[in-house]
Amino acid sequence: MITNYRDLQVWRKALDWAEAIYRATGRWPREERFGLISQVRRSALSVASNIAEGAARCTTGEFLQFVGIAQGSLAEAETQLLLAQRLGYLAGRDANDLLGSGSEISRMLAGLASSLRRRKNA
């Protein structure tokens, strides 16, 4: 039984993903500190943050809305990672690992959204 957002596997994975992105961006050029580094870090952290905020809301509909926001933040972070790869800031293997984890989180969010829709309509 889920009693707290910290019980959600997708939240744990999203937090791990944000941590991995923070570590990876620490090696990017210093001139990107207030640009791409800041953007991708905020987007990645927003995924876990929105899952947590949604789970803490009063209604299933509100939770579902925040899961949708988390999905949007995930797509934003993935886009930024792809740009970082194109710019040579992110090596191929690192990009593949981060994007692969992002895809897994995306599937988990889709499953959570489906479950919340069923609960809402029950």
Side-chain angles (χ1 to χ4, degrees), residues 19 21 32 39 44 56 61 86 96 112 121:
E19 179 184 352
I21 287 173
E32 287 293 348
Q39 281 292 118
R86 286 182 175 197
N96 288 340
L112 177 57
N121 295 329

Side-chain angles (χ1 to χ4, degrees), residues 1-10 12 55 63 112 119:
M1 169 135 218
I2 303 296
T3 58
N4 188 295
Y5 66 89
R6 288 174 282 176
D7 296 330
L8 293 168
Q9 178 95 12
V10 67
R12 286 190 227 132
F63 192 3
L112 177 57
R119 183 193 312 172

Side-chain angles (χ1 to χ4, degrees), residues 21-76:
I21 287 173
Y22 265 74
R23 292 185 190 286
T25 56
R27 298 184 296 270
W28 293 5
R30 189 162 169 73
E31 66 266 15
E32 287 293 348
R33 194 166 125 212
F34 300 110
L36 192 55
I37 292 171
S38 177
Q39 281 292 118
V40 72
R41 284 178 171 184
R42 280 188 312 217
S43 299
L45 184 56
S46 180
V47 177
S49 296
N50 277 292
I51 295 165
E53 186 170 356
R57 293 295 177 137
C58 295
T59 68
T60 300
E62 287 176 302
F63 192 3
L64 187 56
Q65 179 181 0
F66 279 89
V67 168
I69 294 168
Q71 289 171 314
S73 293
L74 178 68
E76 183 180 356

